[in-house]
């Protein structure tokens, strides 16, 4: 990826650490000469913008871009109105420049400790530098809140990680470098984590051992009554806090699962009966609790959950098990783990692999949805026949055109879905909106529910018309609802809309990646004719049937029966 670094100080050290930091993505950065902040942000025609950067970092010192704040630090009287006006002008420049990139990172402002030497006056209502710093940071954040491309970063955290030497005065006077290398290293790690999140590469699931991970002791030996968990024991308290932090991850849309060598009935009893267990059975998307090889169990569990190995983190207290899984499943992230249980919460919180640019309501409900999906899969096993099972689900698919309300979730789904994804293109919210401004393009979102519960917004379909041909550009479906005839329902909506627009053929061009073979497998059996290996075509002279098990609902709350949709597809499409 190519980055552009804009700053009022020498930022070359950050460029160096972004390049050297081993974690993905690989980055090459260009730095603007320090002190050229306003000129660069405001000049659309500046040579530096000729090649659109993948991301921009605009990292400044408040006294470097706000003259009034510099006066305040010099103990000169300033007005709040003047300070607010300068913050607003800087925010407007950032908003203007954000249109020239896919993502912009803006670290919050910090000041060195030698400016905070006024004692009680640091936080005084008039003239307090620390108080003013808090206020201008809040005002900047509020000014940028409506821009989905701009992502503020917490600069104060980097200063804390840098310790007492975070501000390097010698480097400042030698080369206009205000911070130590530790600060730049922390910034590079966070920026890379943010880019992974924006690119849909954040981890989606944590796989956990049980003994000496979720609780202290061996449950098969001590019984659940003898486990170390909670109480007044330091390790027990830490393990409860560790579970609380794992629970917090589920509220951000991260799944939990168990991979443990144990007797399943004994482990399940401990989870159900121990009074200090924060995590309950419904918090886990799945489990493999037996005496088989953990690498084998992980592979089987991830297949069951329709997740790639590279979306998982495996936590185990055993160095032997960690090494085995790391060597056997190289795509899986296996962090080193402390032997001291009191460090478990800190170790989890230090992982930077869960960074996401937003949290949707579907994210908050994902753990519950996974528990419901487990019940759904069990009912499939009990019933046996696939078509009979689908008929019992009472599946509803609600179709909505892309709008401001569903755009954040749709953009998230577009950017993180890998398996059922026709083109695997990635776009920000703003880019998605801009693409749809052409009248020949349409986009729909699909919400899925059944008798077990609501799976939320899980599908996206976009189509572009060129003359007598329509092309499906994006065909995206969450792995949670794959294989339940939702795919055919999406084609039904898209193809029949294209038919009503008068096209003769509908094309779907499959772009192969290392992860989206399930999408190819679906199109191969979808009824569309395959041409040249990766192109699938439907003759628009025929309607594409709606599966019998699907109940289609349009976005204004009306219900459409299968029969009417088949007989008059244009009527269906007029309502959606």
């Amino acid at each position: 990826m190519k980055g552009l670094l804009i700053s009022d100080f020498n930022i070359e050290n950050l460029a160096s650490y972004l390049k050297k930091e081993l974690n993905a993505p690989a980055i090459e950065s260009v730095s603007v000469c320090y002190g050229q902040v306003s000129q660069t942000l405001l000049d659309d025609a500046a040579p530096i913008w000729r090649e659109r950067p993948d991301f921009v970092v605009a990292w400044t010192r408040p006294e470097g871009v706000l003259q009034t704040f510099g006066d305040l630090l010099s103990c000169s009287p300033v007005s709040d109105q003047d300070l607010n006006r300068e913050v607003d002008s800087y925010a407007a420049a950032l908003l203007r420049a954000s249109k020239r990139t896919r993502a912009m990172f803006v670290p919050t402002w910090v000041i060195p400790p030698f400016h905070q030497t006024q004692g009680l006056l640091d936080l005084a209502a008039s003239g307090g530098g620390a108080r003013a710093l808090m206020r201008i940071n809040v005002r900047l954040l509020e000014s940028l809140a409506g821009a989905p491309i701009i992502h503020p970063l917490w600069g104060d955290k980097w200063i804390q990680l840098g310790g007492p030497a975070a501000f390097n005065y010698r480097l400042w006077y030698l080369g206009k470098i205000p911070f130590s290398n530790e600060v730049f290293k922390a910034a590079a790690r966070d920026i890379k984590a943010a880019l992974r999140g924006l690119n849909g590469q954040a981890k989606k699931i944590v796989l956990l051992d049980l003994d000496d991970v979720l609780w202290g002791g061996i449950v098969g030996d001590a019984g659940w009554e003898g486990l170390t968990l909670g109480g007044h024991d330091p390790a027990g308290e830490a393990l409860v806090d560790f579970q609380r932090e794992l629970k917090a991850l589920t509220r951000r849309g991260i799944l939990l699962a168990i991979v443990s060598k144990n007797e399943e009935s004994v482990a399940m009893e401990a989870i159900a009966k121990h009074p200090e267990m924060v995590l309950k059975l419904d918090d886990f998307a799945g489990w493999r609790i037996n005496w088989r090889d953990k690498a084998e169990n992980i592979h089987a569990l991830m297949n069951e959950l329709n997740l790639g190995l590279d979306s998982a983190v495996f936590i185990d207290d055993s160095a032997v098990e960690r090494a085995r899984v790391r060597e056997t499943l190289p795509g899986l992230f296996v962090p080193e783990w402390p032997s001291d249980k009191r460090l478990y919460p800190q170790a989890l919180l230090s992982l930077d692999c869960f960074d996401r640019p937003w949290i949707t309501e579907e994210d908050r409900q994902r753990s519950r949805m996974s528990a419901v999906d487990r019940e759904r899969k069990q009912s499939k096993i009990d019933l046996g026949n696939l078509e009979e099972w689908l008929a019992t689900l009472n599946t509803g698919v609600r179709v909505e055109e892309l709008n401001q309300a569903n755009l954040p979730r749709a953009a998230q789904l577009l950017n993180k879905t890998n398996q059922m994804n026709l083109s695997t293109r990635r776009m920000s919210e703003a880019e998605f909106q801009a693409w749809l401004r052409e009248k020949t393009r349409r986009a729909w979102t699909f919400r899925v529910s059944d008798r077990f519960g609501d799976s939320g917004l899980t599908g996206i379909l976009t189509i572009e018309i060129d003359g007598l041909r329509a092309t499906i550009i994006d065909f995206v479906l969450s792995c949670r609802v794959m294989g339940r005839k939702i795919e055919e329902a999406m084609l039904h909506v898209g193809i029949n809309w294209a038919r009503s627009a008068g096209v003769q053929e509908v094309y779907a061009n499959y772009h192969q990646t290392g992860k989206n073979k399930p999408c190819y497998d679906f199109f191969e059996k979808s009824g569309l004719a395959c041409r040249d290996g990766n192109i699938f075509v439907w003759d628009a002279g025929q309607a594409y049937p709606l599966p019998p098990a699907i109940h289609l609902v349009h976005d204004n709350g009306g219900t459409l029966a299968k029969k009417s949709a088949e007989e008059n597809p244009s009527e269906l499409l007029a309502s959606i």
Side-chain angles (χ1 to χ4, degrees):
M1 299 184 73
K2 294 183 179 179
L4 176 62
L5 311 183
I6 303 171
S7 183
D8 68 317
F9 56 83
N10 187 337
I11 201 170
E12 290 298 329
N13 282 4
L14 176 62
S16 177
Y17 284 117
L18 285 172
K19 183 176 182 177
K20 293 179 179 178
E21 218 266 340
L22 296 179
N23 290 322
I27 290 175
E28 292 288 342
S29 300
V30 175
S31 305
V32 177
C33 291
Y34 65 85
Q36 301 293 306
V37 177
S38 296
Q39 300 93 314
T40 305
L41 293 176
L42 295 172
D43 188 358
D44 298 343
I48 200 72
W49 295 110
R50 286 176 185 166
E51 188 173 351
R52 180 183 173 94
D54 296 309
F55 69 93
V56 170
V57 177
W59 190 357
T60 58
R61 300 168 304 128
E63 67 272 29
V65 291
L66 308 175
Q67 180 180 339
T68 304
F69 190 80
D71 293 340
L72 185 146
L73 293 181
S74 300
C75 298
S76 298
V78 301
S79 73
D80 290 346
Q81 291 80 2
D82 288 343
L83 188 56
N84 289 342
R85 186 164 48 251
E86 290 187 12
V87 173
D88 294 344
S89 295
Y90 180 64
L94 292 170
L95 290 166
R96 180 187 181 112
S98 70
K99 298 174 183 178
R100 307 176 210 133
T101 182
R102 292 192 63 193
M104 175 178 282
F105 302 113
V106 181
T108 53
W109 284 314
V110 297
I111 57 175
F114 63 73
H115 278 305
Q116 301 175 36
T117 57
Q118 301 180 54
L120 294 176
L121 294 179
D122 282 337
L123 293 172
S126 176
R131 184 187 184 107
L133 178 69
M134 297 177 195
R135 188 160 54 80
I136 62 175
N137 269 320
V138 170
R139 190 172 185 91
L140 180 66
L141 293 175
E142 290 175 345
S143 299
L144 302 178
I149 285 177
I150 300 181
H151 307 280
L153 298 176
W154 190 19
D156 192 59
K157 181 180 74 170
W158 305 337
I159 301 303
Q160 293 178 38
L161 292 171
F167 289 92
N168 193 312
Y169 308 131
R170 291 180 179 177
L171 284 177
W172 174 251
Y173 291 113
L174 283 171
K176 293 299 178 280
I177 303 171
F179 307 118
S180 69
N181 287 338
E182 293 306 312
V183 173
F184 288 115
K185 287 178 184 178
R189 286 194 299 269
D190 276 3
I191 290 168
K192 282 204 165 188
L195 288 168
R196 290 194 297 273
L198 288 169
N199 291 332
Q201 298 169 336
K203 302 302 182 184
K204 301 175 182 177
I205 186 169
V206 182
L207 307 174
L208 297 150
D209 186 21
L210 292 175
D211 293 335
D212 286 322
V213 174
L214 286 189
W215 52 60
I218 309 300
V219 67
D221 294 337
W224 66 265
E225 303 91 340
L227 296 176
T228 300
L229 187 63
H232 298 290
D233 182 88
E237 288 185 23
L239 287 166
V240 168
D241 283 344
F242 177 56
Q243 288 197 28
R244 287 196 181 107
E245 296 301 340
L246 288 167
K247 181 79 171 182
L249 283 180
T250 68
R251 300 185 186 108
R252 292 167 52 188
I254 310 301
L255 299 176
L256 305 179
I258 299 170
V259 178
S260 175
K261 289 182 177 178
N262 255 307
E263 290 295 333
E264 182 171 332
S265 61
V266 174
M268 293 292 102
E269 183 183 26
I271 294 172
K273 291 186 176 181
H274 200 292
E276 299 288 347
M277 279 293 297
V278 176
L279 297 173
K280 307 302 182 184
L281 202 58
D282 285 348
D283 291 313
F284 297 99
W287 53 81
R288 285 292 187 276
I289 304 174
N290 53 46
W291 297 101
R292 290 195 285 273
D293 177 56
K294 286 191 177 181
E296 176 188 333
N297 276 332
I298 289 171
H299 194 274
L301 180 58
M302 295 298 284
N303 281 338
E304 176 186 304
L305 297 173
N306 282 326
L307 292 172
L309 290 171
D310 59 355
S311 66
V313 179
F314 175 59
I315 294 176
D316 198 301
D317 66 302
S318 168
V320 174
E321 295 287 7
R322 292 198 302 268
R324 163 66 179 163
V325 170
R326 193 180 287 126
E327 293 168 8
T328 308
L329 306 173
L332 195 75
F333 176 42
V334 185
E336 285 303 319
W337 205 246
S339 57
D340 189 339
K341 295 176 177 58
R342 294 169 298 180
L343 299 179
Y344 281 16
Q346 176 187 337
L348 180 66
L349 291 170
S350 69
L351 298 178
D352 62 3
C353 54
F354 304 114
D355 201 348
R356 294 181 177 183
W358 48 71
I359 300 176
T360 66
E361 188 56 34
E362 279 83 359
D363 290 328
R364 298 185 191 280
Q365 297 297 325
R366 184 164 290 120
S367 181
R368 179 189 61 79
M369 291 175 179
S370 294
V372 168
D373 195 48
R374 196 170 60 244
E375 294 180 37
R376 186 182 292 115
K377 289 176 179 177
Q378 184 59 50
S379 76
K380 180 179 178 181
I381 294 170
D382 295 341
L383 197 56
N385 180 275
L386 176 62
E387 296 300 327
E388 291 179 7
W389 174 71
L390 289 172
T392 68
L393 289 180
N394 192 25
T395 301
V397 176
R398 186 180 184 88
V399 188
E400 299 176 334
E401 290 213 45
L402 193 71
N403 56 51
Q404 288 296 327
N406 59 38
L407 176 62
R409 168 58 182 165
Q412 182 193 55
L413 188 67
L414 183 75
N415 285 301
K416 75 174 187 178
T417 304
N418 294 307
Q419 296 183 84
M420 187 60 70
N421 194 327
L422 185 70
S423 64
T424 62
R425 66 173 180 161
R426 311 301 191 190
M427 293 188 294
S428 67
E429 291 181 33
E431 288 171 327
F432 206 170
Q433 285 181 305
W435 183 83
L436 277 171
R437 291 193 184 111
E438 294 290 334
K439 293 182 179 180
T440 56
R441 296 168 178 169
R442 294 289 288 270
W444 297 274
T445 63
F446 298 82
R447 295 179 178 273
V448 179
S449 61
D450 58 28
R451 65 184 175 91
F452 289 97
D454 190 343
S455 296
L457 196 161
T458 48
I460 303 169
L461 179 73
T462 68
I463 287 186
E464 182 173 19
I465 291 180
D466 183 8
L468 296 177
R469 173 190 292 187
T471 301
I472 297 173
I473 305 298
D474 298 292
F475 187 91
V476 178
L477 188 66
S478 168
C479 61
R480 296 202 312 273
V481 296
M482 282 167 49
R484 288 163 48 193
K485 301 298 181 180
I486 313 301
E487 300 93 329
E488 287 86 348
M490 291 169 62
L491 285 181
H492 169 81
V493 171
I495 289 175
N496 288 349
W497 175 81
R499 292 179 72 239
S500 71
V503 305
Q504 294 181 355
E505 291 182 314
V506 180
Y507 280 66
N509 190 358
Y510 168 75
H511 297 270
Q512 182 179 1
T513 71
K515 300 178 182 178
N516 69 344
K517 189 173 184 299
C519 190
Y520 180 86
D521 293 340
F522 163 71
F523 273 94
E524 198 173 33
K525 62 182 182 183
S526 66
L528 276 68
C530 183
R531 297 181 187 172
D532 301 325
N534 290 338
I535 298 174
F536 297 88
V537 182
W538 181 264
D539 178 0
Q542 305 176 60
Y544 193 91
L546 181 68
I550 300 298
H551 187 65
L552 207 59
V553 179
H554 59 68
D555 64 355
N556 64 6
T559 301
L560 294 164
K562 169 184 174 289
K563 182 177 180 181
S564 64
E566 286 182 336
E567 291 180 351
N568 191 357
S570 61
E571 178 184 334
L572 163 66
L573 291 154
S575 64
I576 60 174

